[in-house]
């Protein structure tokens, strides 16, 4: 049996992953989660995991109690997450949300197995570092974002040099039909309602602001090694086409599938084979039509900021992600307006660039973590009105 671990198992991606793992024949090594200890313990017992880890130290006793008598080891905290990643696995799902997923992803690569990457922050913050570590360890990195999985699948057997353009699609998020003048007063509850997907609060709000798509633009550049000019995005309200690849001969390949993350997860789990997946089959006659719209720069300023990050390269991705996470925290806490998030991120990037914090031809983990720290401090100071930040 293949040994598998799932980091971020209690989130939406993690739960979809466990659904597929539970239908197969796998030896589960580690499951990790956050505050939902009850779900984490239940899944660990059901799948007979070796260890279950909560990210929160103060939930350890609760986790131990929930696992009592099961034979599943309980652990908590950052060090325990890293130790879980050090346990040998043939296939690891990286689905921890945010920059916190970077170190477990890097450590999982040491086994030389397959890293199924749903944590887009790993590539945005440290793409060159992660991919070079994978190459050094003989490991395989497979994309699990539905858009990047779609691009990956469209490129099977193709020469990347023949690609003219990659277009990743976007739903437009829960506020796509809200009048532009009303965005300023949008609430976390409004932004947290997605028209097509059932996701967590943070990623759903990122969908409404298009910060998730901005991240995916950067991720596309890093994963596929494409220049920014060959990467684009388009609003596709139905979310049935996940990405399109246009080639030098004018042909365009589109990847279609129902709005179910088990498509991309199952592809990564079974790669290089294709196996039956318990997902909806599309009936195009029922779909009837597919719509596409160019994203409005005024509604989605995060996309332009991402273009600047792709052009700068280096450590700007780490700064971009950190500032974005701070802005999102402030919006969720109702300490920042929806329309103030993008300007905050832009100001942080401008200030760090002016201070020379984003320069450098090399990248190390320490450099990424230090940039993350400085960007978070700067974002917090700027948001509080500290003009000296």
């Amino acid at each position: 049996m293949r040994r598998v671990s799932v980091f971020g198992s209690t989130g939406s991606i993690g739960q979809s992953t466990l659904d597929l793992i539970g239908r197969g024949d796998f030896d589960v090594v580690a499951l990790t989660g956050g505050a939902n200890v009850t779900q984490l313990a239940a899944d660990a017992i059901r799948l007979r995991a070796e260890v279950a880890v909560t990210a929160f130290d103060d939930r350890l006793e609760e986790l131990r109690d929930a696992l009592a008598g099961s034979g599943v080891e309980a652990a908590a905290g950052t060090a325990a997450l890293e130790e879980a990643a050090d346990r040998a696995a043939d296939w690891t799902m990286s689905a921890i949300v945010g920059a916190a997923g970077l170190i477990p992803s890097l450590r999982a690569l040491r086994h030389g197995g397959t890293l199924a990457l749903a944590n887009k922050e790993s590539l945005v913050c440290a793409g060159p570092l992660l991919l070079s570590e994978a190459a050094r360890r003989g490991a395989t990195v497979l994309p699990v974002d539905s858009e990047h999985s779609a691009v990956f699948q469209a490129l099977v057997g193709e020469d990347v040099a023949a690609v003219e353009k990659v277009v990743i699609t976007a739903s437009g998020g829960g506020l796509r039909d809200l009048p532009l003048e009303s965005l300023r007063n949008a609430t976390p509850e409004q932004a947290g309602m997605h028209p097509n997907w059932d996701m967590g609060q943070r990623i759903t709000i990122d969908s409404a602001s298009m910060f998730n798509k901005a991240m995916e633009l950067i991720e596309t550049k890093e994963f596929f090694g494409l220049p920014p000019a060959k990467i684009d995005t388009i609003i596709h309200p139905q979310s049935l086409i996940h990405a399109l690849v246009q080639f030098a001969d004018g042909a365009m390949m589109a990847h279609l599938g129902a709005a179910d993350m088990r498509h991309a997860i199952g592809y990564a789990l079974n790669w290089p084979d294709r196996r039956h997946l318990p997902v909806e089959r599309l009936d195009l006659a029922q779909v009837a039509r597919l719509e596409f719209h160019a994203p409005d720069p005024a509604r989605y300023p995060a996309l332009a900021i991402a273009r600047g990050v792709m052009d700068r390269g280096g450590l700007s991705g780490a700064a971009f992600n950190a500032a974005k996470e701070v802005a999102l925290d402030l919006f969720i806490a109702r300490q920042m307006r929806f329309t103030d998030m993008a300007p905050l991120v832009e100001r942080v990037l401008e200030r760090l660039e002016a201070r020379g914090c984003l320069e450098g031809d090399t990248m190390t983990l320490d450099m990424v973590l230090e940039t993350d720290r400085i960007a978070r401090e700067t974002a917090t100071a700027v948001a509080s009105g500290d003009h000296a930040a």
Side-chain angles (χ1 to χ4, degrees), residues 11 20 31 82 119 122 154 184 203 243 254 293 295 301 315 323 347 355-356:
L20 295 180
L31 299 182
E82 295 175 9
N119 171 263
S122 293
R184 174 178 170 81
I203 192 170
H293 313 284
L315 294 165
R347 284 197 293 272
R355 287 157 52 184

Side-chain angles (χ1 to χ4, degrees), residues 46-118:
R46 175 173 59 88
L47 296 172
R48 300 178 182 177
E50 292 179 10
V51 62
V53 183
T54 171
F56 299 102
D57 291 289
D58 60 356
R59 308 302 289 270
L60 179 57
E61 289 307 314
E62 182 183 350
L63 180 59
R64 280 179 175 157
D65 290 343
L67 292 172
S70 69
V72 180
E73 181 184 344
T78 301
L81 285 172
E82 295 175 9
E83 191 277 331
D86 287 339
R87 299 192 183 207
D90 303 303
W91 188 92
T92 300
M93 167 59 75
S94 173
I96 295 175
V97 176
L102 174 59
I103 292 179
S105 294
L106 285 169
R107 294 180 83 119
L109 291 172
R110 296 177 180 179
H111 311 303
T114 295
L115 180 69
L117 192 62

